[in-house]
Amino acid sequence: MQIPVTLQAGLWGWLAASSLLIGAAVGFLVKLPQKVVASIMAYGSGVLVAALCFGQIPEAERIGGLWPTMAGLLAGGAIFVLASQYIDRLEQHHRSKSGSGMVALMIAVGAFLDGIPESLGLGLGLLDGGEVSLLMLVAIFLANLPEGLASAAGLREEKRSGALVFGLWGVIALLSGLAAMAGPGLFAELPPHWLAFALGFSAGAVLCMLVDTLIPEAFESTHAWTGLITLAGFMTAFALDHIV
């Protein structure tokens, strides 16, 4: 029995997002050194950059051409940056007024903001008879680990309950799978140039997320080693692209 493409996308999306829960469990139950968390962030960033460069962006250009892909990259990056700035302002506002009362909600919104383009790109790869990108799957899985880990550790320091932490990240993982389903579910009948735009949009948003969030956070702890650790992740994905 053939599994519908939309459901396939959701299953792959949930698999990739499962690392959010794994990271949250480690962060809540085990106190890891910050340098370890930062190293995972840098490594995952390198893998994700390679996955976009060797997989998603060339695939978008192949499907719909250069200019729709370029337009999608620009739109995705711009919207991510604007949304991220808005969320940062909300978080600063609520921190100044009520301490940490809104921190959990802001973490959830920020994680979902990252997860939408990642999961959307994963699901879009199944369109037109395609297969899920192993590179993107591994990259998203690795990039999600430190996000869930660092956030859960922070919530533990704020004396939040385990039910809140795992409920929060469980919902985010569920929504990430739904975002992956939205790829083939909403874009299956669109012309090729719109598919290229959608893939480019996803890639542009993820690239801006890496530069704005993961890599700077990693650099705060790993400093000069950040480049080499990120390069190791990039090389891993480069090798994987040639092996599989």
Side-chain angles (χ1 to χ4, degrees):
M1 180 180 175
Q2 182 67 31
I3 301 176
V5 173
T6 302
L7 181 56
Q8 288 183 49
L11 293 174
W12 286 117
W14 285 316
L15 176 61
S18 67
S19 59
L20 287 171
L21 287 171
I22 296 172
V26 174
F28 190 77
L29 301 174
V30 181
K31 191 166 185 178
L32 292 177
Q34 185 58 35
K35 285 189 176 181
V36 173
V37 178
S39 296
I40 297 173
M41 285 183 177
Y43 185 85
S45 296
V47 175
L48 200 49
V49 168
L52 295 175
C53 291
F54 303 140
Q56 188 165 327
I57 296 175
E59 178 67 8
E61 195 273 337
R62 183 192 68 80
I63 291 173
L66 174 64
W67 295 113
T69 303
M70 295 283 283
L73 284 166
L74 179 60
I79 289 177
F80 175 86
V81 169
L82 291 173
S84 180
Q85 288 181 337
Y86 177 70
I87 289 173
D88 286 344
R89 284 197 296 269
L90 276 180
E91 183 176 0
Q92 291 170 7
H93 174 72
H94 286 287
R95 278 183 183 274
S96 64
K97 289 187 66 176
S98 56
S100 61
M102 288 288 290
V103 171
L105 177 60
M106 292 303 130
I107 290 173
V109 173
F112 188 49
L113 184 63
D114 296 348
I116 286 175
E118 293 171 348
S119 300
L120 178 63
L122 196 64
L124 286 170
L126 290 171
L127 290 178
D128 197 25
E131 297 181 353
V132 69
S133 168
L134 180 59
L135 271 179
M136 280 298 295
L137 183 66
V138 172
I140 293 171
F141 190 92
L142 290 175
N144 282 339
L145 272 173
E147 191 170 44
L149 194 158
S151 307
L155 290 170
R156 181 190 61 194
E157 295 298 321
E158 294 176 6
K159 309 300 182 184
R160 304 291 182 173
S161 68
L164 172 65
V165 172
F166 292 109
L168 180 67
W169 290 104
V171 169
I172 295 171
L174 173 65
L175 293 177
S176 296
L178 294 177
M181 294 176 71
L186 297 178
F187 294 92
E189 303 301 325
L190 290 181
H193 62 273
W194 282 111
L195 293 180
F197 179 89
L199 280 168
F201 182 95
S202 166
V206 172
L207 280 171
C208 286
M209 179 272 292
L210 292 175
V211 176
D212 289 354
T213 306
L214 280 189
I215 294 176
E217 287 185 13
F219 185 81
E220 288 184 4
S221 296
T222 53
H223 304 298
W225 292 102
T226 308
L228 281 176
I229 298 170
T230 305
L231 177 61
F234 186 93
M235 291 171 64
T236 301
F238 183 73
L240 186 63
D241 184 53
H242 284 74
I243 293 171
V244 298

